[in-house]
Amino acid sequence: MREDLIAQACLEAYGAVRHDGRLSDRALDSTLRSRKQLYSSERRAVAERVYGLLRRQMLVDFLAENGWPGFGTISMTHKDLVRLAISRLLEGESPDEVGDSMAFRGEDGKKLRTVLEARSKLEKLPSLKRFSIEASVPEFAASKLVEEVGDEALDAADAMNKRGPLCGRVNTLKGTREQLIAALEREDVKTTPTLLSPLGVILETRTNVYSLEAFKKGLFEVQDEGSQLLGMLVDAPPKKVIDACAGAGGKTLQMAAQMKNRGDLYALDVDARRLEDLKERTRRADVHNVRVKPITNGDDALASISELVANADRVLIDAPCSGSGTFRRKPDARYRLTQESLAEHVSIQKALLERFSPLVK
């Protein structure tokens, strides 16, 4: 791989997130779209390294500030290069490997070989501060994590800092999980069944999912296992069901399959553009019982769907939340989370429950 081009792309994408406040997925997408000369393996390396650094950002900063002499005086670009190098060390690469690929020679090469020794300085910090830095989670969120899961907090944080698996959900309107696994095998994609969801597979082979024939034919959708479990909990009957915050419609499609294309499934959202995307997904999945309805964002949201009031057998509200469940895939979200935004999410959730509860029979 051409390490110089990879490093340049990493610096551009990471700089857009850290210094310009852009969302990580959009920053990466923009960077990779503008760098068409990168091979697919190089594009994957850029994404993995940028996300790896964002997941460990607080720990990387601690090591840089405490284990890299003169770090505070070097240029911003040089600092970001050092951060990328430290992040790769934390992922298990050797100092020689990282140093050679990033042209860290002389003094920088010496610093690279000893920078991880600064980790021992964490032992002198109070336990919560130490955990916050090790986990790369803001201290208030680290405190809540310890409060909620106790001794499992370290394992939970460790899981947040690993690359999430790529999961698919079988479209049961078109086949079984076993048939999906066989179809993916014919395309040389190795899979593992998900542990908890009977509908899911983990795609072990690195590939462009959206180019697979099995995807184009609507045999499966990309959907995290946790999201699949939420869809199963709805246990949607083939009657009248409402997805009140449908978004792009992953759980809408899942419930349509639960309902075996019978009954009426209403997909509501304030973002009409995302609902247009859902229409395309329903066609690919051969889903016919979904009724897409854009709504307004406010107390008068039900005015355009008054016929549904007190008529629904199930209502699903996938309310805006802290996003902690997405920290693996959107690691920069953790650094934007504040006490104030958390409280705001709670008030929005309550408002949505009050707004949509009249829809239930």
Side-chain angles (χ1 to χ4, degrees), residues 156-206:
D158 192 46
M160 286 179 186
N161 289 326
K162 288 186 171 68
R163 183 167 59 89
L166 179 57
C167 289
R169 174 188 53 75
V170 64
N171 178 5
T172 54
L173 295 173
K174 293 195 171 190
T176 64
R177 177 162 71 172
E178 289 68 30
Q179 289 170 329
L180 172 61
I181 290 171
L184 290 170
E185 278 182 1
R186 289 193 291 273
E187 296 193 66
D188 299 320
V189 177
K190 183 182 176 185
T191 60
T192 303
T194 46
L195 288 173
L196 300 176
S197 169
L199 304 171
V201 294
I202 298 171
L203 282 71
E204 306 286 1
T205 305
R206 306 295 297 280

Side-chain angles (χ1 to χ4, degrees), residues 73-92:
T73 63
I74 60 180
S75 70
M76 186 66 72
T77 300
H78 194 179
K79 283 180 179 177
D80 287 349
L81 270 176
V82 169
R83 290 178 174 120
L84 282 164
I86 294 172
S87 173
R88 291 176 64 183
L89 295 181
L90 290 172
E91 293 292 328

Side-chain angles (χ1 to χ4, degrees), residues 70-145:
F71 180 76
T73 63
I74 60 180
S75 70
M76 186 66 72
T77 300
H78 194 179
K79 283 180 179 177
D80 287 349
L81 270 176
V82 169
R83 290 178 174 120
L84 282 164
I86 294 172
S87 173
R88 291 176 64 183
L89 295 181
L90 290 172
E91 293 292 328
E93 295 186 61
S94 71
D96 289 341
E97 184 181 6
V98 175
D100 287 345
S101 68
M102 299 184 71
F104 275 27
R105 301 183 181 92
E107 280 302 309
D108 276 358
K110 292 178 184 175
K111 293 174 183 177
L112 195 61
R113 283 189 284 275
T114 61
V115 68
L116 292 190
E117 294 173 6
R119 204 165 187 168
S120 63
K121 297 181 181 179
L122 284 167
E123 299 302 319
K124 299 174 183 176
L125 299 178
S127 59
L128 183 60
K129 181 75 171 176
R130 183 171 67 247
F131 173 60
S132 170
I133 293 171
E134 282 275 11
S136 283
V137 174
E139 199 165 328
F140 89 91
S143 175
K144 285 186 176 294
L145 191 60

